[in-house]
Structure formats: C-alpha cells, structure tokens
Amino acid sequence: MSGKLKVGFVGCGAFVKNFIPLFKAHPYVESVAVTDLIKERRDEIAQKFEIKNVYDSFEDMLKGDVNTIAIFVQRQLHGPLAIAALEAGKHVYSAVPMASTPEDIAKIVELVAKTRLTYSMGETGYYRPCSVFCRTKVLSGEMGDFVYGEAQYNHDMRHFYKSYQRSGGEEWKMVAGIPPMLYPTHSTSMILSSACSYALKVAAFGYEDHHEDEIFGKGRNYWDNPHSNTSALLHLKNRGIARISENRRIGWYSPQSYVTCCCGTEGSYESSMAQHTYVRLKGMDAEPEDVSAILNTPAMEEHKNEPEFLKNLANGKWANTTAPIQNIARLPEEYKDQHDGHGGTHKFMVDDFCKAAYTGKLSPTNAWVAARFNMPGLYAHKSAIRDGECLDIPDLGDPPADWAMLDPDNDLAASGRKHVIG
Ligand SMILES: NC(=O)c1ccc[n+]([C@@H]2O[C@H](COP(=O)([O-])OP(=O)(O)OC[C@H]3O[C@@H](n4cnc5c(N)ncnc54)[C@H](O)[C@@H]3O)[C@@H](O)[C@H]2O)c1
C-alpha cells in the first residue's frame, strides 16, 4: 500500500470542478490542494470547495505537501507537466490526452516503469456503457474474434468557442485549431478497448476546413493544421480493423463519443442514438437482442416513448448518469450522492485512479494503455498531413509482468481478470 493520497490539482478551469468533489470524497484521499496560473481562478475554486492548501505555481506545488498531481490544464499542455510530476516523485492523474508528442508519451512510460508511481489517464470513453458492453462480450469470447469496429468523437467547433476563449485570450484560435487527432482518445479508447487490442498501422484523411471562423489552416493555429476532421483506419495487433473519427466540424451534438459498431466472427454490436442491438449468429441464423435497456440511462428508458424524446436525446439530455451495465456497486459509498458526468464515467475514472495509487496496482488506463490510446492519433495526424500515407505506429509494449493489475469490479481483491488491452 502506498498510503493515502494528497492530491494537488493543477488547472482550475471548467472541468476540474467536476472532479474536486470526487477526489475529496474518496476514502483513499487525505487532502487536496490547488494551483492555477490565474490566481483569481485558483482562489475562486479554493473558496468554492473549501480548500486551504493553495500554491502560487505548479513548481511550488511539486515542492509542497502533495504526493499526487491531478492535471487539468489545457489539452496541449499535459505531457511536460506529467513528466515533471513523475520526476518529482508524484503519482499522476491526467485529464486526456496523455501528451501531444510521441517523445513525451515515451518519456512518461519510461518514468512510470522506473519509479513505479501510478499514472492514470482519465479517459471517459473507456468507461462508457457501449465500451463496457463490447469489451465484456469480446473478452468473454462470445463475439468470436474481433474483425471490425467504428468509434468517433463528434464535437462541433460552435460548441467549443466558449471553452477555448475562456483560457485562450485573444489568441484562442491558435489553440482551437489543434489537430483533432492530437485529442484522439475518446474514439481510440472506445474501439481499442472494445477490440481488446491495439493499433500497429494507420492511414488517415483529413477534411480541409474552409469555415469563416478561420480556425483551421496554414498560419491560423500553432500546428499549421488545415484539418477540422480526421478519419483513420487502424490495423490492429489482433488483425482486426478499426475506423476512428475525430470531428470538430460536424452538424451533430449528442451522443458525442460512441461506438457505432463492434463486429466479431460470431456476433456484432450496432448502435444508433438510443438503439443498441446485439446480434449473434447461431448456425446460419441471426439472433438479435435489443440491449438498449442496459446501455441507456434509466432516464432515457423512462422517456423513450415521449414525442420529444429524440429531440431531447440529440441535445444531450439524460446522458450524464450511469446505465445498468456500469457496475456502480463497486464504487465507494461516499459517491452515492455525488454528481456524475460524461455518460456516468467520472466516478469510475477517479475511483480506479485512487485505488490504483493506494494499492500500488495498475489502473485500467495506466501509462501503457494510455500510450496505446494516444499514439494512433498522433500518427493519424501525420498520415492525414501526408495525404493518407500508411504509417507504422510505435508500440511501447505491455506493463511489466510483475506489476499487478487492479481488479476494479472486485475492489482490492485481485481476481486475475483481464482489464488491460494487449
Ligand atoms: N471528456 C473529457 O474527458 C474532457 C472533457 C472536458 C475537458 N477535458 C480536459 O480537461 C482539461 C481541462 O479542461 P478545461 O475545460 O477545464 O480547461 P480550462 O481552459 O477551463 O482550464 C485550464 C486551466 O489550466 C490553467 N493552467 C494552464 N497551465 C497551467 C500551469 N502550468 N499551472 C497552473 N495552471 C495552469 C489555466 O490557467 C486554466 O485556468 C483539458 O485538458 C481538457 O482536454 C476532458
């Protein structure tokens, strides 16, 4: 056991507000602290959540009374902070993505291997009901061999303006134009964890944006990135194929990240909005099963016969709590009345991290898994810039064999069940 966690949050923007209460309430957390480059934000958060430990900078926090850093800074800044935290001997919980360069990803994996500190990437996609369903079916062998799957993260730029403006100042478009595949883990995590495999090769194409907001294009953002959308085909280690899409210019709102299909040699899953269908081949005959009731939230099921159901659904209503397939029985009692979000995933992400850091076991989204979720995106972007050239994706391997995996469904008792992709 590593002992209780003293968690320092770096970044006091919008997203962290969902997580401070969950960390504070977790039985393995002793204390929390905050820092932000913008002092007013830090102080507002400290006041709102009654936090006494405030630091003037990330660097001061690293020298202070914390053993864990929780990274909630803007998406393009995670890698260097995770590296500095690990070098300072701290566990790391990071909002997605892991990092923006292959070098930073490799460095994080190297440091985690060397220090045996806990690194966990809080990836909502891994815990969403459709991923849990497909992963469980593939792992059980019921679907046969994985052959093909599709997942996407659709988030139109019009819904992003305010969040980029919040921390980006006058230069906000320079960051908003980040290549969509530098934020790839909502799509990759869902289909790769469903396929129980990882990607070896990628070929991708990007949509050259020409919108009047002038966010994408040469000279318009820090990456000279012309693409608002990128779709990639991944060739997986288990010989299956996955199509991922990261779309930032799309006439769509909700659901945002989801598996459209996950196909095996014996069975397949398909989804459309709130309809989830599982088909198995028995001999020559297809046996369909409507599994919507276990993948939708109870609120969705309750309202599904109302005339405005589809409209509400398409606008994201009823999407933030858990569905029956998500095992809430494994969560700490302290989480019972806590707010959730992103398909009921927040509590699972924090709980897995805290249990992993406390026990010294590997979390399901540990550094090696996170690398396998991130690296395909970085290479998909390179491929798209090179007009679809097929590229090899570097693989950083499996976690050390002598490092036990947390078995989140059975709390601290390891049952030997497989939770890591590979
Ligand atoms: N579904 C998801 O998984 C999901 C959803 C939303 C956001 N996120 C991620 O959460 C992260 C935070 O998002 P947000 O919307 O809260 O961002 P935000 O822009 O609102 O806040 C980021 C904060 O970090 C601070 N900051 C930056 N560098 C710092 C440093 N070196 N030291 C101290 N403070 C620093 C900024 O001043 C800012 O206040 C992003 O990486 C985003 O990708 C993930």
Side-chain angles (χ1 to χ4, degrees):
M1 301 275 173
S2 312
K4 287 208 178 189
L5 307 179
K6 299 178 183 182
V7 184
F9 292 91
V10 51
C12 293
F15 200 42
V16 79
K17 293 175 187 157
N18 299 302
F19 289 87
I20 291 175
L22 294 177
F23 275 93
K24 269 186 91 172
H26 199 282
Y28 298 152
V29 172
E30 183 177 315
S31 63
V32 297
V34 284
T35 188
D36 197 291
L37 292 175
I38 303 169
K39 302 276 176 289
E40 299 74 36
R41 278 191 194 174
R42 178 203 65 183
D43 293 344
E44 193 193 315
I45 288 278
Q47 196 181 18
K48 182 174 165 75
F49 296 106
E50 296 172 352
I51 298 170
K52 291 200 183 75
N53 306 340
V54 295
Y55 290 94
D56 282 341
S57 69
F58 171 63
E59 292 70 25
D60 280 358
M61 184 178 260
L62 288 184
K63 291 183 220 139
D65 188 22
V66 301
N67 58 17
T68 300
I69 295 290
I71 298 174
F72 285 90
V73 302
Q74 294 94 311
R75 61 193 60 203
Q76 75 281 11
L77 304 174
H78 297 179
L81 296 195
I83 291 167
L86 290 164
E87 283 176 339
K90 317 291 179 188
H91 302 300
V92 173
Y93 174 94
S94 177
V96 294
M98 185 180 199
S100 305
T101 65
E103 293 75 20
D104 280 359
I105 292 173
K107 185 72 187 167
I108 292 169
V109 169
E110 183 195 316
L111 283 166
V112 175
K114 194 169 113 191
T115 59
R116 295 268 173 150
L117 290 160
T118 296
Y119 173 94
S120 192
M121 187 182 72
E123 174 45 64
T124 47
Y126 180 88
Y127 296 94
R128 283 185 181 269
C130 52
S131 316
V132 175
F133 178 83
C134 294
R135 188 159 66 238
T136 308
K137 291 295 184 193
V138 171
L139 276 177
S140 74
E142 201 178 289
M143 285 172 79
D145 293 337
F146 172 87
V147 288
Y148 179 71
E150 298 173 355
Q152 51 276 310
Y153 171 46
N154 294 333
H155 197 149
D156 189 67
M157 189 47 77
R158 82 189 74 180
H159 299 121
F160 259 131
Y161 286 161
K162 276 195 185 144
S163 69
Y164 279 113
Q165 284 161 358
R166 186 172 51 242
S167 296
E170 288 187 359
E171 297 277 280
W172 68 274
K173 290 186 186 178
M174 295 299 284
V175 177
I178 186 171
M181 283 290 174
L182 264 58
Y183 191 87
T185 58
H186 292 339
S187 60
T188 57
S189 66
M190 283 192 296
I191 201 59
L192 295 178
S193 74
S194 295
C196 303
S197 193
Y198 57 93
L200 300 177
K201 284 179 186 289
V202 60
F205 289 101
Y207 172 74
E208 262 182 51
D209 201 78
H210 52 87
H211 193 276
E212 63 197 19
D213 64 16
E214 299 187 336
I215 286 174
F216 299 96
K218 205 167 167 42
R220 291 176 174 171
N221 56 66
Y222 291 128
W223 300 265
D224 277 336
N225 168 45
H227 299 147
S228 50
N229 302 337
T230 302
S231 286
L233 270 189
L234 305 176
H235 196 203
L236 310 191
K237 167 77 173 164
N238 67 5
R239 301 190 222 173
I241 296 160
R243 188 275 294 151
I244 53 163
S245 297
E246 290 290 335
N247 296 323
R248 308 292 177 257
R249 191 79 74 192
I250 186 163
W252 187 262
Y253 181 64
S254 183
Q256 287 185 329
S257 47
Y258 55 104
V259 175
T260 336
C261 71
C262 176
C263 308
T265 50
E266 302 302 318
S268 295
Y269 160 88
E270 284 244 357
S271 78
S272 173
M273 302 298 280
Q275 176 61 46
H276 303 270
T277 310
Y278 181 49
V279 177
R280 291 170 76 192
L281 275 188
K282 293 278 180 64
M284 301 295 275
D285 298 327
E287 287 194 356
E289 193 185 338
D290 185 343
V291 292
S292 307
I294 56 168
L295 296 186
N296 289 333
T297 62
M300 283 185 199
E301 287 296 298
E302 191 188 320
H303 295 279
K304 73 179 178 190
N305 295 320
E306 294 173 1
E308 295 282 282
F309 177 65
L310 201 55
K311 184 173 180 191
N312 281 316
L313 201 66
N315 282 285
K317 202 162 179 191
W318 308 306
N320 278 335
T321 57
T322 50
I325 189 128
Q326 291 160 303
N327 180 15
I328 54 170
R330 52 155 277 200
L331 296 171
E333 255 182 62
E334 290 84 346
Y335 276 11
K336 208 161 148 262
D337 298 319
Q338 291 285 343
H339 177 74
D340 215 326
H342 288 93
T345 59
H346 292 180
K347 292 175 184 173
F348 292 97
M349 298 193 300
V350 177
D351 185 45
D352 276 354
F353 170 77
C354 292
K355 283 176 178 165
Y358 183 72
T359 59
K361 291 182 180 172
L362 284 162
S363 88
T365 53
N366 60 65
W368 288 267
V369 172
R372 284 174 170 170
F373 290 166
N374 276 259
M375 213 62 110
L378 303 188
Y379 282 78
H381 175 60
K382 282 186 208 284
S383 170
I385 291 296
R386 297 184 204 170
D387 205 20
E389 185 184 331
C390 184
L391 300 176
D392 289 333
I393 302 168
D395 180 45
L396 302 175
D398 296 320
D402 64 345
W403 198 342
M405 278 295 298
L406 184 74
D407 182 351
D409 288 339
N410 291 297
D411 195 355
L412 302 180
S415 73
R417 270 199 295 143
K418 199 175 170 197
H419 277 275
V420 66
I421 58 166

